[in-house]
Amino acid sequence: MLCFQCEQTDRTGEVPGCAGALGNCGKDSGTSDLQDLLLYAVKGIAQYAVRARDLDAPDDEAAGFILSSVFTTLTNVNFSPTRFVALLREAAAVRDRVRARYEEAARARGLDPRPLSGPAAFEPAPDMPGLLGQAAVARVDHGIALVGPDITGLRALHLYALKGICAYAHHAHVLGRHSEKVFAGVEEGLAYLAESPTDANELLARAVGLGHLNLAVMELLDAANTGTYGAQQPTAVRCTPVAGKAILVSGHDLKDLAAVLEQTKDTGINVYTHGEMLPAHGYPLLKAYPHLAGNYGGAWQDQQKDFAEFPGPVLMTSNCIIEPHARYRRRIFTAGPVGWPGVRHIANGDFTPLVRAARALPGFTEDGPEQFITVGFGRDAVLSVADDVIGAVRRGDIRHFFLVGGCDGPTPGRDYYADFALGAPRDSVVLTLGCAKYRFNRHDFGEIGGIPRLLDLGQCNDTYSAIAIASALADAFGCGINDLPLTLALSWTEQKAVAVLLTLLALGVRNIHLGPTLPAYLTPALVQELVDRFGLRVVGDAGTDVAAALERA
Ligand code: SF4
Ligand code: SF3
């Protein structure tokens, strides 16, 4: 096992990365190797898929499989080795189908179809020892002795950006939104990695290209969410319980939440959101369910305490899951890409077992004190008051915008983001998204001329809103995004944040404060490159960074 894909990775050894029997997230070595092998198999599908698509014989079902199976390998998504063995077998079958399509399309055009080598020729071993024996070739540092750490790091940057892109694209796909451009881009990116590229300049240029691809995906996801559930509206969300039976839904998947709400209609069971599900309360078609009762707990790293204390069943619809404690192991369920050994998985959208568990569990016996947080400042809501915002900037009432968001996590140094947001001057507005906001979203930031000083744009999945808002402000002021009085402080944990970072870099956004540490797979030379080209900076002292941002503006 070697895994260095997330911010929690082990940095105590000479070479960074989780390499023992267990990663810092709880992923065991066998599961990690199976994940690597699945990615290898998926690269093999992509090799044929690119060729089939070039011959006008795309297999969009295979593309959907690529999205969902890559999603399972993100940090804190799936820890179940049996799921990976099944996915490996399915990947081989999907590859065979795509290969047959390619061969048929080639012959139909009088071409001679060539069998491909590398991942495209991978055949999973029949048993677990055999599969684990195959994993060496799929390791993320495979070939490092030949190509060195810089190329290995750039390949990793690619792979992890593609993981983020696949996760976001999967969320759009389950809501019925996909595009040929996105499918083709994902397939091309994976097929490129299958060739073990060695050109650093090309790898860097392609990394920026993945940023553009992710922008297209974020736009697709925005259209999927708003097209299905309406545009987010500012909404006060109760963050204390009400008496009654209860279900807690965590992760990012709005469709699963909608299904749970529908299947608990008129049952008397209340549904609460946890972690990244909080922004769901802002969507008109979701908040229309009166039993969407409120938000419970904090960000994902608090789940062992939150879930243990919650008096009902819990559903994890996407990242981030951590090892369920005995206190709630029998009442937590997974759905979609998520898995944990021994935890009940609901694959078909029928949440009857969850509802049954809610009926059998006590629920809340009394109401908590009334407390609210406000969410729902998606692009439509913010841009509907754009004239007020622009006027406030012109009058000097708003001096600066800070976007403080991204992932939260258990590693030290993340108080930086709360200090940064809370340290922003009274004449500035703080935009936030992702789960990092739980460190400061219960604080009363007040208003500037009726405009709330804290605007929650939504999940990390709602990055398109942030980009649309920044672009609209830049247009209004007749300048570029970098010329706006806007500073970004990004917190990262997993691979979706890497995709978002590349999108921002692809858009030319400079001087992003990234932390709490930089990705371990980026060598000092690669970091220097990003600093030189994009002004990327690692977070320092929050007060100093806020002051420096104001100085630069
Ligand atoms: Fe380590 Fe992160 Fe990989 Fe888990 S996902 S094994 S914590 S690098
Ligand atoms: Fe959070 Fe996992 Fe990334 Fe969606 S829930 S931001 S870390």
Side-chain angles (χ1 to χ4, degrees):
M1 163 183 186
L2 175 70
C3 184
F4 49 29
Q5 68 177 349
C6 84
E7 204 274 336
Q8 311 167 87
T9 201
D10 192 89
R11 295 168 202 256
T12 56
E14 209 167 294
V15 182
C18 296
L22 212 57
N24 285 344
C25 60
K27 181 167 72 172
D28 66 55
S29 144
T31 304
S32 182
D33 287 352
L34 291 171
Q35 290 185 353
D36 289 348
L37 209 52
L38 177 61
L39 291 165
Y40 190 75
V42 165
K43 286 178 200 167
I45 302 174
Q47 284 177 278
Y48 278 114
V50 166
R51 285 160 177 83
R53 202 171 283 278
D54 279 351
L55 296 173
D56 292 328
D59 185 335
D60 287 352
E61 206 181 307
F65 173 80
I66 290 176
L67 303 184
S68 59
S69 53
V70 171
F71 196 171
T72 62
T73 71
L74 261 75
T75 295
N76 292 333
V77 173
N78 200 312
F79 296 77
S80 172
T82 51
R83 290 271 296 280
F84 287 107
V85 172
L87 282 169
L88 273 162
R89 309 253 174 266
E90 195 177 345
V94 170
R95 184 270 325 273
D96 289 348
R97 191 180 74 221
V98 178
R99 179 175 56 200
R101 272 178 102 90
Y102 154 67
E103 289 174 349
E104 197 182 315
R107 283 194 205 96
R109 293 185 179 216
L111 302 169
D112 184 18
R114 300 272 162 98
L116 302 175
S117 57
F122 170 70
E123 294 300 341
D127 54 22
M128 187 67 94
L131 289 170
L132 296 179
Q134 291 177 317
V137 70
R139 263 174 68 120
V140 72
D141 64 343
H142 182 68
I144 191 170
L146 274 178
V147 300
D150 288 346
I151 296 296
T152 302
L154 283 169
R155 289 177 185 170
L157 179 65
H158 263 250
L159 180 65
Y160 301 151
L162 280 164
K163 286 192 182 199
I165 288 168
C166 285
Y168 287 134
H170 170 82
H171 281 300
H173 192 231
V174 296
L175 289 173
R177 299 280 179 139
H178 59 262
S179 83
E180 295 301 307
K181 177 181 165 187
V182 168
F183 282 160
V186 167
E187 289 164 359
E188 274 165 28
L190 288 164
Y192 174 65
L193 285 179
E195 292 162 11
S196 304
T198 55
D199 183 327
N201 288 330
E202 185 184 69
L203 274 157
L204 258 175
R206 277 180 169 263
V208 174
L210 290 179
H212 287 296
L213 176 63
N214 188 54
L215 178 60
V217 172
M218 301 311 300
E219 188 175 5
L220 200 64
L221 182 52
D222 178 276
N225 287 341
T226 57
T228 310
Y229 303 112
Q232 289 187 61
Q233 300 167 343
T235 304
V237 181
R238 187 179 177 118
C239 52
T240 50
V242 289
K245 303 280 186 186
I247 289 174
L248 188 58
V249 183
S250 190
H252 302 71
D253 197 301
L254 299 182
K255 189 178 177 197
D256 283 337
L257 175 68
V260 171
L261 286 166
E262 189 59 30
Q263 291 170 35
T264 47
K265 223 164 54 174
D266 304 323
T267 60
I269 298 168
N270 290 318
V271 177
Y272 294 81
T273 58
H274 180 266
E276 275 284 70
M277 201 56 87
L278 165 64
H281 293 271
Y283 288 92
L285 266 66
L286 296 175
K287 70 178 186 174
Y289 289 95
H291 60 300
L292 181 59
N295 177 252
Y296 182 88
W300 67 272
Q301 73 274 6
D302 298 333
Q303 70 188 252
Q304 287 173 323
K305 177 177 178 290
D306 294 344
F307 295 176
E309 290 173 358
F310 190 80
V314 178
L315 176 68
M316 281 304 304
T317 67
S318 76
N319 49 323
C320 284
I321 188 170
I322 45 184
E323 180 173 13
H325 272 181
R327 277 180 69 191
Y328 62 89
R329 191 176 272 254
R330 289 172 58 78
R331 57 181 169 86
I332 182 170
F333 297 78
T334 59
V338 192
W340 194 282
V343 165
R344 279 173 290 177
H345 185 72
I346 297 175
N348 58 1
D350 178 358
F351 293 103
T352 305
L354 187 75
V355 176
R356 208 179 291 132
R359 286 205 171 97
L361 288 158
F364 290 103
T365 50
E366 56 185 44
D367 292 355
E370 289 203 359
Q371 286 169 14
F372 295 88
I373 39 184
T374 304
V375 302
F377 293 98
R379 65 187 161 86
D380 280 29
V382 174
L383 294 179
S384 71
V385 292
D387 288 347
D388 296 348
V389 173
I390 290 162
V393 174
R394 293 220 159 101
R395 285 192 305 276
D397 295 345
I398 296 178
R399 172 184 174 201
H400 206 84
F401 297 90
F402 293 97
L403 191 145
V404 189
C407 308
D408 206 350
T411 43
R414 291 187 186 269
D415 284 340
Y416 170 91
Y417 297 95
D419 295 344
F420 194 106
L422 298 171
R426 300 284 312 163
D427 54 359
S428 65
V429 168
V430 177
L431 308 163
T432 190
L433 80 182
C435 60
K437 61 175 157 260
Y438 277 98
R439 292 193 182 242
F440 50 83
N441 69 348
R442 293 193 188 201
H443 181 85
D444 182 5
F445 279 73
E447 295 182 344
I448 300 176
I451 301 163
R453 277 197 60 238
L454 178 68
L455 299 173
D456 183 350
L457 309 187
Q459 300 177 337
C460 64
N461 293 26
D462 297 306
T463 296
Y464 185 73
S465 264
I467 291 167
I469 292 165
S471 301
L473 285 177
D475 285 350
F477 291 110
C479 65
I481 291 181
N482 285 316
D483 304 316
L484 287 172
L486 167 68
T487 302
L488 281 72
L490 290 189
S491 175
W492 83 285
T493 293
E494 32 79 353
Q495 298 75 55
K496 292 199 282 182
V498 174
V500 169
L501 176 67
L502 288 183
T503 296
L504 295 170
L505 299 184
L507 289 170
V509 179
R510 293 183 61 80
N511 299 318
I512 298 170
H513 297 257
L514 183 69
T517 62
L518 294 180
Y521 48 88
L522 294 181
T523 60
L526 294 175
V527 169
Q528 195 56 49
E529 181 74 24
L530 294 176
V531 169
D532 293 346
R533 284 179 61 168
F534 302 105
L536 193 70
R537 50 192 75 211
V538 68
V539 298
D541 168 71
T544 311
D545 287 353
V546 169
L550 294 171
E551 186 110 331
R552 276 197 307 275

